[in-house]
Structure formats: C-alpha cells, structure tokens
Amino acid sequence: MTAPHTNVQKISEMASRHLSSLSVDCVVFGFHKNEMKVLLLKIPYKDEWALPGGFILRDESAENAASRILKERTGLDGVFLRQFHVFSDPGRVKPRDHRDNLTRMNIPENDIKWLCSRFVTIGFYALVDYTRAVPTPDEFTTRSEWRDLTDPGMLMMDHRVIVNTALDTLRLQLNNLPIGYNLLREKFTMPELQKLYETILGRKLDRRNFQRKILSYRILLRLDERKTGVAHKAPVLYRFDYDGYHRALEEGLKGGF
Amino acid sequence: MTAPHTNVQKISEMASRHLSSLSVDCVVFGFHKNEMKVLLLKIPYKDEWALPGGFILRDESAENAASRILKERTGLDGVFLRQFHVFSDPGRVKPRDHRDNLTRMNIPENDIKWLCSRFVTIGFYALVDYTRAVPTPDEFTTRSEWRDLTDPGMLMMDHRVIVNTALDTLRLQLNNLPIGYNLLREKFTMPELQKLYETILGRKLDRRNFQRKILSYRILLRLDERKTGVAHKAPVLYRFDYDGYHRALEEGLKGGF
C-alpha cells in the first residue's frame, strides 16, 4: 500500500539525528467565536487524531524542538509556549498498533523500529492567534485542523490525557499568569475578556468580581474608545498594557501571600 | 586510583537497563530550626555537591524512578514528590570534566561512555520530614548531607539552576497548594506555620493577613491545647485537617477566579 499524501520520504535515520527515548508533544490552543480550539493532525487509515509533536535533535533543547515543531505546524513563531508535564507511563504506546500503521506508510524498517521504541514525551502548551495560524500536517499525516476542545474526536495513545492535563495547567495558571495576549484581538471589551476566562475555566464568573480582579493586576489599558456596531450601550474597549503584561509574565500576578 | 568508599561495583551495563538520554534529579527540601535545607551528595575528588538523581529503568515511569531514588537516598516513601521542570540545554554537561572523575572511580569504560552522553533531566521536588530522613550516598558518592538552602556550597553542572527553579516553583505553588504536612511537627503554632511560609518565600509576611488567608483555606484544625514551656502567653496549637488538606492538594486552594 502506498501513502501518496504523506511525506515519508523525508524520514530516514531517525535514530542518528535525534535523542532516543524522548519526544515532544504540543497542545496548541486557539480561541474562536467563544470556543476553545485545539490543533490536531489526522492519522492516516484511522479515525484518530494526534497532537503536533516530534523529536529532539542531537544539539537542540526541548524548548527549541517545541518551537520548531510549532512553527512547522502553524507558521507562527514567538508565541507563548511552555512545558507543563512529562508523560512517562511505560504503557503509553501500543507498539503493535503503531507498527501496523507505520508499515502501511512505507516507512523504512529501521525507522519503524526506532519509532516503536518506548518514548517519554514532554508536553508543551501554546496559546496562538487562531486567525494567523496556518494548520499544516507533518510527515506522518495528511491533514491538520482546529478541533473543538470539548469534542475533538478520538485521540491516539494518551493524547487525550495530555490535552486534559494542559487544560488543567492553563486553568491553574490563570491565577498566576496573565492570559489573552495571543487569544484575543488587539482591542477587546471587558465582556469579551471575561468570556475567554469563562471558556477556559468551563464555568460562569461574576461580572463585578471578574472586573475588579482583572483590573487589580494592572495588565490592562482602558482606551478612550467604545466598540462600534453594537445594538445597545457601546462597551468600552481595552488593550493589554505591554509592560504590565510582561512584568506579570515574569513575576506572576500579585494574588498570593 | 581506587575508590574504596563508593559502590562502583554495583554499576554495570547501565545502557541496557535504563532509558537513554533521560535522567531524574530530585530537589529534596527539609525544614529545620527555621531554615530550609536541601539534601545533597558529595562528589568524590572534588569540592562539589550533586542532587540525588538517577536513571529510569526500561519498564519504569519517571515518577516511580524518582520515588525509588528518594527512598534509596532518604529511607522515606510516600512523601510529597512532584515533577516541576525538564532541563534540556544541550550544554548542561561538560563531558570532559565528567569523564575525568568517572575514570578515577574505576567505572567500566562502556558505562562511562553512556554516563557521558547527553542527558535531559526531569526535575522533581520533594518535601520531607527532616527528622525522619536518613541521608544515604549513592554508588557515585561517599557522603550525603542536609545543606543550608541559602549556602549549600558549589553544585555540579546545572544543579544550582535546578534547585533555584524548584524553589521558584514551590513559591508559586504556595498560592495553589497546601504545604507544611511533611515539614512541620504534627502540632504547631500559627507563628511556626507563618515562619515556614516566610522561610520559603524569603520575606516577612503580615501576621493578620497570613492568619486570615491560611484559615480561609480550611486546611487547619484549631486544637483545644496550647504550647507548653513558652515564657509568655502560651500560643494555641493547630494541626492539619487531613481531609481538607488532601482535598486542597487535589483541587487547589480557592484563591483564584
């Protein structure tokens, strides 16, 4: 069987070019029409999706590998990207399943052997601008798509666990780090920002408490403009204060002891 | 040259028993006389200290490897142990330095070759009961000691960065997770708990704010006892509420949105 839509010819001598036993998987979040999206790749011959991922070159850090993979899969660089957890359950790959599919894709046997060995994967999550990302498949896949986070379809291996852990991390980090810079348009209303938080948290927030709390972090600038084309009272526009936002990224939000 | 105090004979065929490219390092924190301590191993022939660490067996998760290593180095199990960061800078090991020392220790050449290859290390931090831990050296070292966190001596490789990153993580996690269970005696006073937080954070806290905040988390039980043998007014004793504490470990402290 041939694999006309994939680029398996690019794969060769995987073992000699990469660190053994280690991979990187990226949970790429986007926000569109009040829904959280996750970028996934369609596995050929199977009704399964996979996270964008790859391996670490011999002279590369895990962070650089993740940035490289993210750039290849979305066209974007310089985005918020952060390691969040290592997944190392020895049973996380079913080598038999994996081998069957790789064999169908005409991948060289020595590479299949390497690809079917045990990998510990480092999970990274990224927050990207949905409108600017260009989903691009990798050598093993034919299609890349934004999928609804709440209903992404069947995910391969432990990728659903990886997505859920990334989401849990993101929810916890809302209390420590500013968020929204890559997820919203440059100017936004307070209800739009609240909706982003509600979508990530999966629950409603009190309007007054949210506004009080988010303003106390000093990461927003209130603009002397109002949103146009709105039926009723036009809401005030905000944008992120670049200095305040980046200081909070470095030092954490002042919500603690 | 011989290495009479180390157990290098235990080392053999490292490569066949472990995953390649991956190691685990544990930052083990203890608290004693109002000082934070960190457990370190003395490197032979050098004025350098190392974190307790090791490799991941072929059928073992990173978590189990870290637990096993922690048990071997302290005699303790069931302690709070959590992965916090992966260190993957390709320049983190100086293979030449490393090789010189391993050669002096009479380690077999094929193991030296493996030990001097590039490793990405998964950092774990642990909070342990200082009084119960029995510091125990590993196959490469002759001595294990609790060292002052503020002045631990010279650390090998990037181990100082690993310790600092663990401390930063611990400081951030004070806002999300309860702490103290393995660090304080069973019964303690509010000033003793506050002192633990101050020591971890490296700064003074306001007494009233601290008390209000920590009580709001519902992780403490106020006992009907007072500390004895104290000169002036005897302070009330508290202990952790097991259920509340473990619920907070699972769900996070309610300090967020």
Side-chain angles (χ1 to χ4, degrees):
Chain A
M1 213 183 283
T2 56
H5 302 297
T6 56
N7 288 307
V8 290
Q9 64 277 17
K10 282 196 194 163
I11 305 167
S12 76
E13 301 301 330
M14 300 289 285
S16 65
R17 293 190 292 123
H18 301 95
L19 289 189
S20 298
S21 322
L22 256 178
S23 60
V24 162
D25 280 295
C26 299
V27 181
V28 185
F29 291 118
F31 184 65
H32 184 62
K33 293 188 176 166
N34 288 335
E35 285 196 333
M36 286 289 282
K37 303 283 183 179
V38 59
L39 192 72
L40 294 175
L41 307 174
K42 174 72 177 55
I43 302 290
Y45 311 111
K46 277 186 154 187
D47 189 19
E48 277 187 4
W49 297 82
L51 291 168
F55 305 103
I56 302 173
L57 294 170
R58 294 247 158 222
D59 60 351
E60 189 181 45
S61 68
E63 277 73 16
N64 286 349
S67 295
R68 173 176 54 76
I69 290 161
L70 189 65
K71 167 120 201 208
E72 288 169 2
R73 303 282 75 75
T74 64
L76 302 177
D77 50 14
V79 304
F80 182 92
L81 179 68
R82 200 170 273 234
Q83 51 161 282
F84 65 95
H85 198 78
V86 175
F87 300 85
S88 65
D89 183 336
R92 59 182 294 273
V93 191
K94 307 265 176 301
R96 163 59 58 196
D97 273 23
H98 215 45
R99 169 170 285 279
D100 288 352
N101 228 38
L102 293 167
T103 306
R104 279 166 158 173
M105 292 164 70
N106 291 333
I107 291 173
E109 175 55 30
N110 55 346
D111 287 324
I112 292 184
K113 194 172 166 212
W114 189 77
L115 289 163
C116 289
S117 65
R118 182 180 161 199
F119 282 92
V120 167
T121 201
I122 308 173
F124 282 80
Y125 77 92
L127 303 175
V128 310
D129 184 339
Y130 178 93
T131 60
R132 286 178 53 229
V134 182
T136 310
D138 67 9
E139 298 88 336
F140 300 97
T141 55
T142 54
R143 219 161 92 217
S144 175
E145 269 179 31
W146 287 107
R147 309 278 298 173
D148 285 350
L149 184 56
T150 50
D151 186 20
M154 179 87 90
L155 268 61
M156 74 180 288
M157 289 163 52
D158 57 355
H159 287 197
R160 182 79 230 196
V161 174
I162 297 175
V163 170
N164 290 347
T165 308
L167 185 60
D168 288 345
T169 306
L170 184 59
R171 286 172 174 173
L172 260 184
Q173 297 207 338
L174 285 187
N175 300 323
N176 296 322
L177 295 176
I179 224 163
Y181 196 73
N182 288 305
L183 298 176
L184 295 172
R185 269 168 296 191
E186 195 197 342
K187 298 173 185 181
F188 47 84
T189 65
M190 191 57 77
E192 285 167 350
L193 183 60
Q194 180 172 340
K195 189 70 204 171
L196 171 65
Y197 275 72
E198 289 179 339
T199 303
I200 292 172
L201 290 169
R203 59 185 164 83
K204 291 275 175 201
L205 298 172
D206 177 74
R207 189 178 62 80
R208 278 163 194 265
N209 282 346
F210 177 79
Q211 177 155 340
R212 182 183 50 73
K213 193 142 193 168
I214 203 85
L215 289 175
S216 76
Y217 294 153
R218 302 175 185 280
I219 58 174
L220 294 178
L221 286 179
R222 186 188 161 108
L223 301 176
D224 204 13
E225 292 174 58
R226 285 173 183 272
K227 186 162 179 168
T228 53
V230 186
H232 299 288
K233 197 184 160 217
V236 174
L237 287 170
Y238 292 83
R239 69 173 176 83
F240 288 111
D241 172 38
Y242 187 86
D243 290 344
Y245 193 96
H246 282 267
R247 194 180 322 115
L249 266 188
E250 293 293 318
E251 298 171 12
L253 298 168
K254 305 297 182 213
F257 280 95
Chain B
M1 214 184 282
T2 57
H5 301 298
T6 56
N7 288 307
V8 290
Q9 65 275 19
K10 282 197 196 163
I11 304 167
S12 77
E13 300 300 331
M14 301 290 284
S16 65
R17 293 190 292 124
H18 301 95
L19 289 189
S20 298
S21 322
L22 256 178
S23 59
V24 163
D25 280 297
C26 299
V27 181
V28 185
F29 291 118
F31 184 66
H32 184 61
K33 292 187 177 167
N34 288 335
E35 285 196 334
M36 286 289 282
K37 303 283 183 178
V38 60
L39 191 73
L40 295 175
L41 308 174
K42 174 72 178 57
I43 303 289
Y45 311 111
K46 279 187 153 186
D47 190 20
E48 277 187 5
W49 297 82
L51 292 169
F55 306 103
I56 301 173
L57 294 170
R58 294 247 158 220
D59 60 351
E60 189 182 46
S61 68
E63 277 73 16
N64 287 348
S67 296
R68 172 175 54 77
I69 291 161
L70 189 65
K71 167 121 202 205
E72 289 168 2
R73 303 282 74 77
T74 64
L76 303 177
D77 49 13
V79 304
F80 182 92
L81 179 68
R82 200 171 273 234
Q83 50 161 281
F84 66 95
H85 198 77
V86 175
F87 299 85
S88 65
D89 183 337
R92 57 183 293 274
V93 190
K94 308 268 177 298
R96 164 59 58 198
D97 273 23
H98 215 45
R99 167 170 286 280
D100 288 352
N101 229 37
L102 294 168
T103 306
R104 279 166 157 175
M105 293 164 71
N106 291 332
I107 291 174
E109 175 55 30
N110 56 344
D111 287 323
I112 290 184
K113 194 172 166 212
W114 189 76
L115 289 164
C116 289
S117 65
R118 181 180 162 201
F119 283 91
V120 167
T121 200
I122 308 172
F124 282 80
Y125 77 93
L127 304 174
V128 309
D129 184 341
Y130 179 91
T131 60
R132 286 178 54 228
V134 181
T136 310
D138 66 10
E139 298 88 337
F140 300 97
T141 55
T142 54
R143 218 160 93 216
S144 176
E145 269 180 32
W146 286 108
R147 308 277 299 172
D148 285 350
L149 184 57
T150 49
D151 186 20
M154 178 87 88
L155 266 62
M156 74 179 288
M157 289 164 51
D158 57 354
H159 287 197
R160 182 80 229 195
V161 173
I162 297 176
V163 170
N164 290 346
T165 309
L167 185 59
D168 288 345
T169 306
L170 184 58
R171 286 174 174 172
L172 260 184
Q173 297 207 339
L174 285 188
N175 299 325
N176 296 322
L177 295 177
I179 225 163
Y181 196 73
N182 289 304
L183 297 176
L184 295 172
R185 270 168 296 192
E186 196 199 340
K187 298 173 184 181
F188 46 84
T189 65
M190 191 58 77
E192 284 166 351
L193 184 61
Q194 180 172 339
K195 189 71 204 171
L196 171 65
Y197 275 73
E198 289 179 340
T199 304
I200 292 173
L201 290 168
R203 59 186 165 84
K204 292 275 176 202
L205 298 172
D206 177 74
R207 189 178 62 81
R208 278 161 195 265
N209 281 347
F210 177 77
Q211 178 155 338
R212 183 184 49 75
K213 193 142 192 169
I214 202 85
L215 289 176
S216 76
Y217 294 154
R218 302 175 184 282
I219 58 174
L220 294 177
L221 286 180
R222 186 189 161 107
L223 302 176
D224 204 12
E225 292 175 58
R226 285 172 184 273
K227 186 161 180 170
T228 52
V230 186
H232 300 289
K233 195 185 161 217
V236 175
L237 287 170
Y238 291 83
R239 68 173 177 83
F240 288 111
D241 172 38
Y242 187 87
D243 290 344
Y245 193 95
H246 283 267
R247 194 182 321 115
L249 267 187
E250 293 294 318
E251 298 171 12
L253 298 168
K254 305 298 183 211
F257 281 95

